[in-house]
Structures are given as structure tokens and as C-alpha cells.
Amino acid sequence: MKKSKGMRTETLYKIFIYVTLIALVITILIPVAWVFLASIKENKEFYGSPWTLPDGFYFQNFVEAFVDAKMGDYLLNSVIVTGLSLLILLVVALPSAYVLSRFEFRGRSLLNSFVKAGLFINVSYIAVPIFLMLLDWDSVLKVMFGDGMLLNNRFILATIYASTALPFTIFLLSSYFQTLPSDFEEAASIDGAGYYKTMISIMFPIAMPSIVIVILFNFLLFWNEYILALTLMPGDNKTLPVGLLNLMAAERAAVNYGPMYAGMVIVMLPTLILYILVQKRLTQGMTVGGVKG
Amino acid sequence: MSKKRSRNIFIAICVSPAVILFTLFMVLPTIEVFRMSLYNWGGFSKTKEFVGFNNFKLLWNDMNFIQSFQNSVLLIVLVAIITIIFAVFFAAVLTKEKVVGGNFFRVIFYIPNILSIVVIAGIFSAVYDAKSGLLNSVFGVLKLDTFKQMWLGNQDIIIYSIAGALIWQAIGYYMVMYMSSMASIPESYYEAASLEGAGKFKQFTSITLPLIWNNIRTTLTFYIISTINLSFLLVKAMTGGGPDGSTEVFLSYMYSQAYGNSTYGYGMAIGVVVFTFSFALAAIVSRITKRDVLEY
């Protein structure tokens, strides 16, 4: 008798657990899936119940978003900026993380504490000062060359993205390099390999797992970033999230919802595909870094 | 000697690009925030006037700033408490119970964290829409018409709507963090406890919670920093601080003063206050939550 009562509460507990789990799944998946469905709805379908399925595949929304709202151009810009940022970041961060974690030299601990302090500097605070700085340098360039070129510049934006990601990336890479035994360098030195060769052809390949994590995290960071892009790129070279902001404002004013949801799909689809491909690495890697923007 | 020299050159070549970029685009702008907060500088004019702490004195009587302060503190408290409860609960369930499809749940719960905050703003505009929003229509279907609200129009509840979106975004991230620290607790502890007749809840409060306490403490700092940051990004994309300043938060007010209104000095003074406040809050929270670390 007593045992069956225990079984009963056990079953009730299990049911409770699954109900809560499924409730959270629904609250996460339904809004995201709804946006996908809304992106192929015609405008007249937005009157009435939001739960009706699309009448058909209204592809015109995507055409409008890509062409009229220039999301196609912005997609290209985002690809360029994100790619460039990742490239700059890796070229700059990898050697410094390697040296900071595996070489003894004067000023090393100072640099390391700079990196840690940098983890606390938030992009949102410094977006406007960076803008003013570029404006200032631009006015100097204008006097010298007759033209300013630092604002609305994809390369500059990419450099700044890479710079703001440096503390987190160096922190993560150094903590990986620190775990490696010094045998690698000793063996390489016996084989007659110099510092550069040892670093590039031996140490970097070994660090591949954490390099992949760095790329994944920073891809998401750069792809989704909008406050720097909004502040530093007031011209036509917008990135996708900024383009989406404009699109959302414009379509809401025009009561034309389809292209707006199509724009949202364009922004989130690449990250969702990437996530589904590598979700295991991402959620595991997160515990290595443990830093949130 | 030449060996030592080539080693030093190698170190310099490796470190200097990072040092240069970090100094130019992180250190300098941060110093600028503090320096400019002492100036009265109206926009694109070249005239900067040193005014000492006058900007801070003005802030003290700025009702808009005080409103943004209240909103930010409310959001930090709400988001931290509710997210911790949900994230710890789901983390415990997914690590300790043999849930069918546990990996599936983990993957789904993490999805909001990979979405751009602009997309999240768009999603929640659709959810909260007064006429054809998902939330109100669910209440309509359930015949709970009294729960229907102008989620983004009513000034009394809009800040809670913002909190909802932030919590939705945060649960999965923190759940994964807590899961990894729970996974490192040895199974034998739970076996011993259940032999002594401790129930699930007792096991949770006397084994799991004390052993992940340090992890929770660390995340409290994250909650403070990231809520200040993300609430700005979300509010800017979703409501623009409106209606009538009812969703204005710390950094959105700073941004609108510095970039929109072009009163840079004043905007930077807000930045300094927020920066100091978040550090002080993190330190206080860290102090009062300090417990003896339990080893295992």
C-alpha cells in the first residue's frame, strides 16, 4: 500500500517534469516557427487570427525584402564584415594568446590583467566615443587627403569588431594553450624549428578545437551585433541587423508585415543552420569561456 | 645574445598588434567616456567647456534619468531571480532525471541565445501585439479575455513585457552553465543521500544547491552586466524607450543623450554612473552571497 503511493507520486512527478519541459519548448519554438510561417503569408492574411496557416508560399515577401529593402546588399555586407572580422581576430589573437600563455617576459602579467579587465568593457558604453574618435580622425584625413574614410567603412568596422572581441578570445585561447605540455616546443626546438615555424605549424594546429569554438562564438557575436554597426555605418553599407531595424520600422508604418518577417528569417536562418550543425560543440565550448556579452 | 634578441623580437611581433588594437578601440574610448563626462560639449560644435562634476549634479535632478534607473534596477532584479529559478530547475531536471530526449530539450532551450537581439525584438513585437498578437489570441482561445493586455501600450506593464523577453532569451544560456557544474557532482553523493531516505527535494537543497552555489554567484555578476546591456539593445530595437519614457533604461538614455541629442558630455556622465553602479552592485551582491565553499 505504502509502496504504491510512492509510485503514484513518482509518476505524478514525472508528468510534472515533462509538462514543464514541453511548456518551455513550446514557448521557444512556437514564436520562432510562427515567424517562418508569417514570412510566406500574404498581407491580407495578417488580418484575423494569427494562428491560420499560410494559404500558399507567398515568395514575393522575400523578393521585396531582398530587392526593395536592400536586404540582399546588407546580407553581402554582413558576410564581408563578419568574415573580415574573424580573419583579423584570428591573425591578431592567436599569436598573442600563444605568447602570453607560454613565454615568460617582462610585462606579461600586466598584459594578462589588461586582457581580464577588457572582459568587463562593454561595447554599448564605448560605441559613441568610438564614433567621435573616428569622426575626429576623419576630419584630420579630410585636411590631408580631402576625404574622410573611416565612417561607413566595412574594413574599419571589422577591425573594431575584432578589437572588441580580443579580450574574450585571448582569454579563451590562452587558457587552452596553458594546458598543453611544453614537450611540443622542446621537440620542435630539437628538430631545429624556429619560433615562428613552431608556432604556426605545430602549436596552431594543436589548438584547432578551441579555434573552432572561438570562430563559432564570434561568428554569432559579429553576425548579430547591431549597436556599433548602427553608430558607425550611417550610410548605405548597412549590416543585416541594422537593415532589419529599418525594415521593421518602415513596414510597420506601411502596415505591410510580410517582408518584415521575411527579413527576420533572412537574419536568423544562417545562425540557426550553423547552430543545428554544431550545437554540441557550442554548448560544450560555452563552459570553457563562460562570458556573456 | 642574438638568440635572446630574436626571442624578444618574436614576442614583440606577436603581442603588439593585439596591444595596439586593444589600446586604440577599447582603452582609449573607455578613457574618453570618463574624460568627456567632465565637459559640457554640445554636439558637433568644437567648443568644449570643462565643467567639472556639473553633469553629475544635473543628473541628480533629471527625472528621466531616475525613471531609467528604476526601470534598470527592476529589470536586473526580475530577470536575475526568475531566470535563476527556471534555469536551475531545468538544469537539475536534465542532469538528474533520466529524461527521454534530454539532448533535444537542451538544444531547443539554447536557441534564443543564438538569435540577434533585433530578431528577438521582432518576435516579441508579434507576440505582444495588442490586436493580433500571439499572447492575446491564446488568452482569447482559452476564454481568458480578462488577461488580454496592451502589452506594449500600457505604461504600467510594458516593463514587465520587456523582462519577459529578456528572461525568454536568458534561460537556456544559464541552464547550460548550471548543467555543466551539476554534472561534475559525484553520483555517489546522491546514492548515499537516497539510502538515508532523503527525497528529491531534500537532495536538491542539501547537495546540488550548495555545490553549485559558487557557480550561481559568478553568474549573478553576468546577470547584472548582461541585463544592463541587453535591456538597452532590446529596448532600442523594440520600443525606443517609449511610450513616454516608460521603458527607458540606463544605456538607452545614455545613447539617446549622447548620440541622438548630441549632448556628449552629459551622455558620458550617465555612462560613468552606470559603469560605477554596475561594479558596485556586483561587488555588493558578491559579498552578501558569500558562503564557505564546499569541496567535493
Side-chain angles (χ1 to χ4, degrees):
Chain A
M1 191 62 201
K2 200 174 175 213
K3 194 169 179 195
S4 79
K5 194 180 169 217
M7 293 267 287
R8 177 111 49 83
T9 47
E10 182 73 355
T11 326
L12 280 176
Y13 179 65
K14 276 265 155 178
I15 292 173
F16 169 70
I17 282 175
Y18 280 100
V19 168
T20 52
L21 283 171
I22 289 165
L24 187 57
V25 167
I26 288 174
T27 47
I28 288 170
L29 277 192
I30 295 277
V32 176
W34 187 85
V35 169
F36 274 86
L37 287 180
S39 73
I40 53 169
K41 279 185 179 178
E42 254 183 278
N43 205 34
K44 64 174 193 292
E45 296 176 61
F46 285 99
Y47 299 98
S49 168
W51 297 108
T52 50
L53 288 173
D55 292 340
F57 198 98
Y58 189 65
F59 198 67
Q60 191 60 30
N61 288 335
F62 282 88
V63 176
E64 265 181 56
F66 261 105
V67 182
D68 300 346
K70 295 213 258 173
M71 289 298 269
D73 296 354
Y74 301 154
L75 179 71
L76 187 68
N77 270 329
S78 267
V79 170
I80 292 173
V81 170
T82 308
L84 260 179
S85 316
L86 286 174
L87 190 72
I88 298 171
L89 178 65
L90 286 180
V91 168
V92 174
L94 268 171
S96 54
Y98 170 64
V99 166
L100 282 175
S101 57
R102 296 183 77 82
F103 281 77
E104 280 293 342
F105 60 95
R106 260 199 17 229
R108 176 190 161 179
S109 62
L110 181 75
L111 287 178
N112 271 324
S113 41
F114 257 112
V115 169
K116 289 222 181 73
L119 289 172
F120 287 92
I121 301 180
N122 202 312
V123 171
S124 301
Y125 291 100
I126 57 174
V128 175
I130 291 177
F131 167 75
L132 292 173
M133 236 166 57
L134 294 183
L135 207 64
D136 232 27
W137 295 347
D138 248 359
S139 60
V140 174
L141 286 180
K142 256 185 204 134
V143 173
M144 283 163 65
F145 303 105
D147 200 12
M149 55 185 119
L150 298 173
L151 291 168
N152 290 317
N153 184 327
R154 284 172 288 204
F155 183 75
I156 296 290
L157 183 67
T159 312
I160 292 171
Y161 276 179
S163 312
T164 57
L166 274 178
F168 167 68
T169 307
I170 292 179
F171 181 71
L172 203 145
L173 288 173
S174 318
S175 54
Y176 184 80
F177 278 126
Q178 268 162 11
T179 62
L180 300 176
S182 58
D183 306 2
F184 292 111
E185 279 112 330
E186 280 159 23
S189 158
I190 291 167
D191 286 347
Y195 292 120
Y196 303 91
K197 189 148 188 247
T198 311
M199 176 174 82
I200 292 166
S201 52
I202 299 178
M203 298 312 283
F204 289 174
I206 296 172
M208 226 20 163
S210 57
I211 293 177
V212 171
I213 289 172
V214 162
I215 293 177
L216 287 178
F217 271 103
N218 287 305
F219 169 80
L220 289 175
L221 198 69
F222 298 153
W223 186 265
N224 290 335
E225 203 288 332
Y226 88 88
I227 200 71
L228 276 175
L230 180 74
T231 316
L232 305 180
M233 312 279 275
D236 285 333
N237 282 337
K238 293 186 184 1
T239 57
L240 265 186
V242 180
L244 178 61
L245 269 181
N246 288 354
L247 180 63
M248 275 160 51
E251 301 298 291
R252 233 177 250 142
V255 203
N256 185 17
Y257 295 109
M260 174 173 108
Y261 292 115
M264 284 165 65
V265 169
I266 295 169
V267 176
M268 69 174 158
L269 199 57
T271 56
L272 280 174
I273 291 173
L274 180 83
Y275 174 65
I276 290 163
L277 292 177
V278 298
Q279 42 83 16
K280 200 149 199 176
R281 274 206 139 120
L282 202 69
T283 45
Q284 279 169 353
M286 204 193 81
T287 58
V288 183
V291 174
K292 190 172 171 69
Chain B
M1 188 62 204
S2 84
K3 178 115 203 271
K4 184 141 197 263
R5 186 146 175 248
S6 71
R7 182 176 180 271
N8 283 343
I9 291 175
F10 170 72
I11 290 174
I13 287 178
C14 287
V15 176
S16 47
V19 170
I20 291 170
L21 284 186
F22 182 71
T23 312
L24 267 185
F25 295 116
M26 298 282 278
V27 178
L28 266 183
T30 309
I31 294 173
E32 277 296 285
V33 170
F34 283 87
R35 197 179 68 85
M36 284 199 299
S37 71
L38 303 176
Y39 284 82
N40 186 3
W41 184 17
F44 296 91
S45 66
K46 282 281 157 203
T47 52
K48 281 185 243 183
E49 185 197 348
F50 184 82
V51 290
F53 290 103
N54 196 37
N55 284 328
F56 296 94
K57 280 189 202 135
L58 288 176
L59 261 185
W60 207 241
N61 296 316
D62 183 345
M63 282 318 286
N64 291 325
F65 176 68
I66 292 176
Q67 163 113 52
S68 77
F69 202 104
Q70 287 172 339
N71 284 339
S72 292
V73 172
L74 179 69
L75 282 178
I76 291 170
V77 173
L78 273 182
V79 171
I81 290 176
I82 299 175
T83 310
I84 286 179
I85 293 172
F86 277 108
V88 169
F89 170 77
F90 285 111
V93 164
L94 288 183
T95 39
K96 285 289 157 261
E97 307 298 327
K98 281 152 200 68
V99 172
V100 182
N103 194 43
F104 164 80
F105 288 116
R106 201 200 60 198
V107 170
I108 299 294
F109 294 171
Y110 196 75
I111 285 180
N113 199 56
I114 61 160
L115 299 178
S116 169
I117 204 85
V118 182
V119 171
I120 293 175
I123 288 176
F124 274 87
S125 301
V127 169
Y128 287 142
D129 191 272
K131 272 214 305 284
S132 55
L134 303 187
L135 197 54
N136 274 352
S137 78
V138 167
F139 287 136
V141 170
L142 297 174
K143 301 273 180 274
L144 293 168
D145 285 324
T146 44
F147 285 102
K148 283 190 180 178
Q149 293 288 348
M150 305 262 289
W151 300 105
L152 296 177
N154 185 340
Q155 292 195 19
D156 295 328
I157 57 168
I158 184 167
I159 198 73
Y160 299 98
S161 309
I162 300 284
L166 288 172
I167 294 163
W168 183 84
Q169 193 267 350
I171 289 177
Y173 175 86
Y174 290 103
M175 184 196 79
V176 172
M177 290 212 85
Y178 299 142
M179 275 175 80
S180 68
S181 69
M182 283 180 195
S184 61
I185 302 173
E187 191 55 33
S188 57
Y189 284 34
Y190 294 97
E191 284 159 12
S194 95
L195 280 180
E196 297 199 359
K200 283 209 164 70
F201 189 69
K202 181 80 186 148
Q203 288 180 21
F204 174 77
T205 52
S206 51
I207 300 175
T208 311
L209 209 50
L211 287 177
I212 67 160
W213 186 254
N214 242 3
N215 189 230
I216 293 181
R217 270 185 70 206
T218 318
T219 56
L220 287 175
T221 311
F222 293 2
Y223 286 113
I224 295 169
I225 295 174
S226 74
T227 304
I228 289 178
N229 186 32
L230 290 177
S231 64
F232 159 52
L233 297 177
L234 184 72
V235 159
K236 173 131 188 61
M238 201 158 141
T239 66
D244 201 19
S246 55
T247 54
E248 202 75 86
V249 290
F250 276 148
L251 295 181
S252 69
Y253 191 54
M254 164 185 154
Y255 193 86
S256 67
Q257 289 298 317
Y259 194 72
N261 217 0
S262 292
T263 44
Y264 297 114
Y266 193 58
M268 294 304 112
I270 300 172
V272 170
V273 171
V274 177
F275 200 67
T276 320
F277 172 78
S278 64
F279 262 84
L281 186 64
I284 292 169
V285 166
S286 168
R287 176 63 66 85
I288 58 178
T289 55
K290 196 169 172 66
R291 304 279 184 278
D292 290 331
V293 177
L294 294 169
E295 300 283 346
Y296 50 87

